[in-house]
């Protein structure tokens, strides 16, 4: 586990989960998923395990608030008044259950405390477009048995770029309020009530770049294999000479956003009220929700970007019973909604009149309602044999709508009943054996249709169910308080996803050979690690792991005459990896934190069509693809998975070095990411990059601190986010383009913080 206190987050200038992931080996988080701009479709990835077309009902890693599962909304959580953030890597099914197939992130909100205290901060950045953050929190005991803490924040992230009409691209506005109340009527009984509300909007959108390599200029000979859809066996090989392509392409390398030879293309946001949809009547159709979605999502944004809301209420109770046992109970209820308007052409093509042509508007709406109830009893932690047993019930309603000419509605209901427990036994003073397990009954019911009910691909009340036992065994050796060596094995399951295979088959001619759902996913995980504090000023942790993942879900997208057609398809993969973290203070005036992740992730059984195969490899392939065949990706690395990632933070405590009376410091943070691919066929490579942040601060009094900060100080505009490649409609010969969320430019600012 990697943990951050609120002081840690403040010292690093962090108030979002994606920034936390930059500083955490083995963990990645993206605010927006592939093909969906904005903050509605966040993706959590642990150690190379991700569902890259995320769905609240089927995720490989999950986010929890005060121990309660959150189905959605993690990209705009109120992370400014927490006690700590816990990033727990590896399967956590017994403890957290729902969708902790690969790991979990748990936010613990700040408690009122034993004494009244508070804090406030104001930060301002004039970089490009003004940005600011105002935060305040205060709390303490109201009586000797009751405490209350209230916090609030308003933040504006200034957009660094502009749409064609001059409006900001990437601006984010977020307002939130949270409160925590604690009541302790007796020494043995404790109650905690927590809740928050978040309202947000943004002008996020994808930008595009046209393939820079002209037809005939790509000197790559691409070789691959075809695989049988039915048997999943390799049928034969193919070779494609990309110099024969009749279209512009990227020739294996995706340019950075600041590449002078590949200009950026932006949408014309001002024209959305006049735009005409492909196959529809215009904006009115996009803004009028079908009845199935009303009441679950925010208002229509009215411009390119999104509107968001999120609220949650959590009630927990603890009661100390006989023999040092504790009974705990928790009930949580939350809702999250998003309404995004986007240009699925991402600024390309732009033939004809640049004011209106080339815009292909689409609405994407999402709403979730989830309820979580849990009870457990835990023995005392001083005995040689310790145990915990609990029960859990979870229900999720997920609503999604997609409209680029007609509405398609996906409604899902997931119910999960679980019985779980753990047993820890100290075999000797050095060796401890831990057994964990959860038995879960999980039902996923899907209704997928158009608003008229006449959609030929409608699915009504189709259910996928499983009843599985998910174990974990841990053996740890702790010869001293400063050394712990451990190994563990676990087995976990999560649901598949609605495949949309029938529509995909009819519109592309490709029969994927799967039903309404992709199969249930299974993970076998093995890990060995060591944690040690060999010196008073040095500690480290090193973990090595192997994962075998069956039926991992991926989105397969093909561009047809009517637009993008997608399906969810299964694939098997395996992971070898290492995580390393260390903290050191070799002198009293210098602190250093280092983190490193190595991932060797390969497909062992995966094939799809996708955009690169159908638009690049299939053109001139010798021999060509035959019915019943797909392009194999066996042996390839899954997209968006760099082999190496690293981070460091060095802090110079100026006051200790110079003898200053008040604290003063300078810190430098760096994050590094290796090359990665934007497709599972390992054709479009994105170059690795470094990014650096700096902070310098001084306490001008016991209560007031002044900081200067700079983020991305080298103004690196590498592609560190999601993206992909596709065909640009309207360009000669269907030229290739790349798209994705654009990088953030250099930001400088000042922050004032006060405590009382």
């Amino acid at each position: 586990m990697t943990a951050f206190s609120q002081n840690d987050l403040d010292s690093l200038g962090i108030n979002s989960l994606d920034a936390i992931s930059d500083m955490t080996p083995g963990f990645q988080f993206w605010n927006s998923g592939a093909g969906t701009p904005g903050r509605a479709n966040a993706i959590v990835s642990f150690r190379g395990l991700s569902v890259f077309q995320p769905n609240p009902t089927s995720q490989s890693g999950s986010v929890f608030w005060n121990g309660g599962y959150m189905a959605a909304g993690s990209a705009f959580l109120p992370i400014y008044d927490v006690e700590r953030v816990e990033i727990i890597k590896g399967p956590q099914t017994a403890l957290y259950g729902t969708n902790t197939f690969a790991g979990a992130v748990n936010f613990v909100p700040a408690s009122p405390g034993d004494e009244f205290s508070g804090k406030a901060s104001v930060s301002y950045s004039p970089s490009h477009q003004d940005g600011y953050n105002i935060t305040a929190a205060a709390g303490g005991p109201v009586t000797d048995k009751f405490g209350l803490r209230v916090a609030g924040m308003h933040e504006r992230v200034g957009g660094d770029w502009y749409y064609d009409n001059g409006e900001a691209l990437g601006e984010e506005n977020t307002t939130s309020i949270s409160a925590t109340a604690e009541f302790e009527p007796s020494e043995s009984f404790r109650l905690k009530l927590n809740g928050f509300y978040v309202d947000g909007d943004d002008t996020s959108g994808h930008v595009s770049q046209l393939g820079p390599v002209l037809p005939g200029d790509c000197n790559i000979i691409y070789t691959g294999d075809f695989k049988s859809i039915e048997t999943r066996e390799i049928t034969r090989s193919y070779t494609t000479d990309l110099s024969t392509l009749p279209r512009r392409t990227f020739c294996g390398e995706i340019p950075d956003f600041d590449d002078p030879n590949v200009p950026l293309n932006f949408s014309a946001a001002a024209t959305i009220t006049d735009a005409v949809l492909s196959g529809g009547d215009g904006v009115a159709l996009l803004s009028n929700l079908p009845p199935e979605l009303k009441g679950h999502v925010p208002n229509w944004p009215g411009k390119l970007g999104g509107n968001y809301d999120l609220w949650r209420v959590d009630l927990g109770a603890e009661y100390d019973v006989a023999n040092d046992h504790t009974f705990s109970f928790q009930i949580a209820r939350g809702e999250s909604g998003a309404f995004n308007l986007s240009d699925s052409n991402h600024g390309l093509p732009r033939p004809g009149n640049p004011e209106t042509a080339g815009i292909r508007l689409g609405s994407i709406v999402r709403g979730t309602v989830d309820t979580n109830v849990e009870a457990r009893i835990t023995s005392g932690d001083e005995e040689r044999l310790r145990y915990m047993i609990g029960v859990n019930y979870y229900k999720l309603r997920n609503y999604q709508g997609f409209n680029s000419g007609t509405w398609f509605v996906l409604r899902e209901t997931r119910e999960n009943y679980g019985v779980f427990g753990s047993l820890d036994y100290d075999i000797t003073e050095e060796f401890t054996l831990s057994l964990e397990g959860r038995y879960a009954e999980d039902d996923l019911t899907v209704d997928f249709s158009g608003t008229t009910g006449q959609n030929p691909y409608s699915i009504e009340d189709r259910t996928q169910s499983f009843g599985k036992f998910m174990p974990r065994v841990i053996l740890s050796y702790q010869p001293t308080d400063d050394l712990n060596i451990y190994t563990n094995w676990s087995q976990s399951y999560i649901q598949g996803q609605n495949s949309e295979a029938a529509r995909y088959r009819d519109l592309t001619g490709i029969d994927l050979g799967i039903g309404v759902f992709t199969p249930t996913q299974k993970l076998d995980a093995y890990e060995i690690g060591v944690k040690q504090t060999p010196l008073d000023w040095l500690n480290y942790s090193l973990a090595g792991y192997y994962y075998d993942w069956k039926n991992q879900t991926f989105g397969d997208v093909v561009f047809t005459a009517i637009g993008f057609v997608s399906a969810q398809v299964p694939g098997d993969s395996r992971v070898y990896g290492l995580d390393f973290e260390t903290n050191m203070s070799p002198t009293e005036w210098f602190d250093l934190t280092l983190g490193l992740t190595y991932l060797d992730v390969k497909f062992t059984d995966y094939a799809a069509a996708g955009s690169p195969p159908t638009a690049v490899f299939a053109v001139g392939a010798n021999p060509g693809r035959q019915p019943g065949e797909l392009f194999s990706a066996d042996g390839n690395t899954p997209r968006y998975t760099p082999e190496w990632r690293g981070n460091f933070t060095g802090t110079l405590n100026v006051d200790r070095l110079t003898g200053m009376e008040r604290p003063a410091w300078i810190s430098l943070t760096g994050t590094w990411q290796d090359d990665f691919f934007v497709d599972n066929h390992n054709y479009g490579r994105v170059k690795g990059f470094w990014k650096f942040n700096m902070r310098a601060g001084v306490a001008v009094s016991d209560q007031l601190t002044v900081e200067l900060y700079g983020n991305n100080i080298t103004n690196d505009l590498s592609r560190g986010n999601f993206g992909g490649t596709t065909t640009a409609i309207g360009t000669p010969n269907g030229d290739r383009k790349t798209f994705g969320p654009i990088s953030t430019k250099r930001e400088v600012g000042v922050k004032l913080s006060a405590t009382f």
Side-chain angles (χ1 to χ4, degrees):
M1 180 174 70
T2 300
F4 297 89
S5 67
Q6 184 66 64
N7 286 337
D8 295 332
L9 299 178
D10 290 342
S11 66
L12 292 167
I14 289 175
N15 67 350
S16 63
L17 192 49
D18 60 330
I20 291 175
S21 74
D22 287 340
M23 307 306 298
T24 307
F27 171 54
Q28 289 182 279
F29 180 87
W30 297 274
N31 279 344
S32 60
T36 306
R39 296 181 281 171
N41 198 27
I43 293 180
V44 181
S45 175
F46 290 93
R47 294 174 169 177
L49 305 181
S50 288
V51 177
F52 283 108
Q53 294 291 332
N55 186 310
T57 61
S58 179
Q59 302 179 72
S60 61
S62 297
V63 175
F64 293 75
W65 185 267
N66 202 33
Y69 173 67
M70 289 186 53
S74 53
F76 42 97
L77 270 174
I79 309 172
Y80 53 87
D81 192 41
V82 297
E83 180 179 315
R84 66 185 182 276
V85 182
E86 305 164 336
I87 299 96
I88 313 167
K89 292 162 277 189
Q92 305 296 322
T93 306
L95 181 61
Y96 286 106
T98 308
N99 285 16
T100 55
F101 189 82
V105 180
N106 183 37
F107 291 90
V108 180
S111 296
D114 298 327
E115 298 180 356
F116 179 80
S117 64
K119 65 177 184 178
S121 67
V122 178
S123 63
Y124 172 74
S125 171
S127 305
H128 208 62
Q129 296 176 13
D130 292 351
Y132 57 85
N133 180 292
I134 303 171
T135 300
V142 179
T143 70
D144 60 346
K145 297 183 182 297
F146 178 74
L148 178 66
R149 185 174 182 87
V150 178
M153 183 200 75
H154 178 68
E155 179 180 47
R156 178 191 178 200
V157 177
D160 291 329
W161 306 85
Y162 297 94
Y163 288 106
D164 284 349
N165 70 318
E167 293 184 1
L169 166 60
E171 179 184 313
E172 296 178 0
N173 296 283
T174 308
T175 302
S176 64
I177 186 170
S178 63
T180 300
E182 292 185 344
F183 180 52
E184 191 170 349
S186 69
E187 292 184 359
S188 60
F189 184 46
R190 298 168 294 279
L191 285 171
K192 183 176 181 178
L193 176 65
N194 173 263
F196 64 77
Y197 173 75
V198 183
D199 177 75
D201 63 78
D202 61 39
T203 59
S204 296
H206 288 169
V207 300
S208 61
Q209 295 167 296
L210 193 63
V213 181
L214 296 174
D217 289 350
C218 183
N219 296 317
I220 291 177
I221 304 296
Y222 189 94
T223 60
D225 296 316
F226 292 119
K227 177 175 282 194
S228 167
I229 297 174
E230 182 178 357
T231 67
R232 301 176 73 125
E233 298 292 332
I234 299 295
T235 55
R236 58 208 176 96
S237 299
Y238 67 90
T239 300
T240 301
D241 181 354
L242 300 189
S243 68
T244 64
L245 287 178
R247 57 187 53 143
R248 298 168 67 112
T249 185
F250 294 95
C251 201
E253 185 170 299
I254 307 299
D256 290 340
F257 288 117
D258 57 355
D259 189 323
N261 299 313
V262 192
L264 298 174
N265 295 275
F266 302 91
S267 297
T271 65
I272 64 170
T273 56
D274 302 319
V276 177
L277 298 176
S278 174
D281 297 326
V283 170
L285 182 60
L286 292 175
S287 59
N288 294 326
L289 290 173
E292 300 97 321
L293 300 175
K294 290 181 178 179
H296 300 292
V297 298
N299 294 328
W300 187 62
K303 59 182 178 181
L304 294 181
N307 285 342
Y308 313 95
D309 57 35
L310 171 69
W311 67 263
R312 188 169 189 82
V313 176
D314 179 290
L315 175 64
E318 287 187 349
Y319 182 66
D320 298 329
V321 295
N323 300 320
D324 294 326
H325 285 58
T326 300
F327 173 77
S328 60
F329 175 83
Q330 182 182 40
I331 181 169
R333 172 84 171 184
E335 293 191 19
S336 175
F339 199 139
N340 292 86
L341 183 65
S342 64
D343 171 16
S344 59
N345 282 344
H346 317 302
L348 268 176
R350 313 201 57 70
N353 185 347
E355 291 295 322
T356 58
I359 295 177
R360 189 170 188 272
L361 290 179
S363 286
I364 304 174
V365 298
R366 304 173 190 273
T368 64
V369 182
D370 63 300
T371 304
N372 188 73
V373 182
E374 182 172 294
R376 64 174 70 186
I377 188 164
T378 307
S379 68
D381 58 6
E382 300 297 327
E383 301 297 324
R384 187 173 183 180
L385 177 66
R386 303 168 298 280
Y387 56 88
M388 176 270 293
I389 188 168
V391 294
N392 174 269
Y393 169 74
Y394 176 76
K395 183 174 182 178
L396 167 69
R397 289 283 289 170
N398 176 45
Y399 304 86
Q400 296 184 181
F402 310 90
N403 187 344
S404 59
T406 184
W407 278 104
F408 289 90
V409 178
L410 172 67
R411 293 177 294 175
E412 297 177 302
T413 301
R414 183 182 179 190
E415 286 192 280
N416 183 289
Y417 301 85
V419 178
F420 60 95
S422 65
L423 184 69
D424 300 300
Y425 179 66
D426 296 331
I427 303 171
T428 67
E429 292 185 356
E430 294 84 18
F431 285 95
T432 299
L433 178 66
S434 300
L435 305 176
E436 301 176 354
R438 174 181 293 255
Y439 179 79
E441 293 279 355
D442 198 287
D443 298 324
L444 174 62
T445 302
V446 170
D447 180 285
F448 178 75
S449 65
T451 56
T452 64
Q454 304 301 315
N455 177 15
Y457 306 105
S458 295
I459 300 168
E460 296 182 1
D461 297 333
R462 299 287 184 91
T463 300
Q464 177 176 248
S465 303
F466 69 70
K468 300 289 186 181
F469 178 70
M470 291 171 272
R472 181 162 75 160
V473 180
I474 308 169
L475 179 64
S476 60
Y477 172 61
Q478 189 168 353
T480 69
D481 292 340
D482 298 327
L483 176 63
N484 182 25
I485 302 171
Y486 67 92
T487 184
N488 67 62
W489 164 82
S490 66
Q491 190 174 81
S492 305
Y493 298 86
I494 56 174
Q495 293 278 14
Q497 293 192 22
N498 175 42
S499 69
E500 299 185 50
R503 180 172 181 263
Y504 185 93
R505 177 199 61 217
D506 291 351
L507 296 178
T508 67
I510 302 171
D511 188 345
L512 297 172
I514 54 178
V516 174
F517 297 94
T518 62
T520 300
Q521 303 176 63
K522 175 185 176 183
L523 181 74
D524 281 291
Y526 305 82
E527 182 175 346
I528 185 170
V530 57
K531 303 177 182 180
Q532 187 180 21
T533 306
L535 300 168
D536 291 341
W537 53 271
L538 172 67
N539 66 74
Y540 73 91
S541 64
L542 176 66
Y545 41 90
Y546 169 76
Y547 295 147
D548 182 20
W549 190 355
K550 302 296 186 186
N551 298 319
Q552 177 182 8
T553 58
F554 284 93
D556 185 49
V557 179
V558 175
F559 198 86
T560 69
I562 66 167
F564 297 99
V565 178
S566 65
Q568 299 296 315
V569 294
D572 299 344
S573 61
R574 60 96 180 131
V575 178
Y576 292 100
L578 288 171
D579 292 341
F580 175 74
E581 294 181 80
T582 183
N583 298 279
M584 61 185 75
S585 301
T587 71
E588 65 175 6
W589 46 266
F590 182 68
D591 303 315
L592 180 64
T593 298
L594 298 172
L596 188 67
T597 298
Y598 169 74
L599 286 172
D600 179 6
V601 188
K602 301 296 182 186
F603 287 117
T604 56
D605 183 8
Y606 176 69
S611 180
T614 54
V616 180
F617 311 148
V619 179
N622 184 16
R625 184 180 68 85
Q626 300 299 313
E629 291 181 329
L630 290 176
F631 294 87
S632 173
D634 291 358
N636 290 351
T637 299
R639 59 181 179 170
Y640 316 128
T641 307
E643 187 175 31
W644 291 93
R645 292 178 66 237
N647 65 271
F648 75 85
T649 299
T651 303
L652 179 66
N653 300 298
V654 179
D655 55 317
R656 299 176 187 174
L657 179 64
T658 63
M660 292 176 58
E661 180 180 351
R662 298 191 183 280
W665 66 94
I666 300 173
S667 68
L668 175 66
T669 296
T671 57
W672 167 63
Q673 183 166 289
D674 201 1
D675 296 0
F676 66 90
F677 295 100
V678 298
D679 59 84
N680 292 327
H681 294 271
N682 293 181
Y683 171 65
R685 181 188 296 271
V686 174
K687 294 181 295 185
F689 61 88
W690 275 98
K691 292 195 177 184
F692 299 95
N693 302 333
M694 287 193 70
R695 304 183 77 83
V698 61
V700 297
S701 71
D702 291 341
Q703 287 79 38
L704 182 64
T705 300
V706 179
E707 290 181 84
L708 299 176
Y709 63 88
N711 297 326
N712 190 18
I713 58 176
T714 60
N715 202 32
D716 183 274
L717 298 181
S718 301
R719 286 180 172 269
N721 298 314
F722 271 77
T725 57
T726 188
T727 299
I729 316 169
T731 57
N733 304 310
D735 294 332
R736 299 289 288 169
K737 67 177 178 181
T738 184
F739 64 92
I742 198 165
S743 297
T744 302
K745 294 181 179 179
R746 180 191 297 115
E747 177 189 31
V748 296
V750 60
K751 180 179 180 180
L752 302 178
S753 303
T755 59
F756 52 89

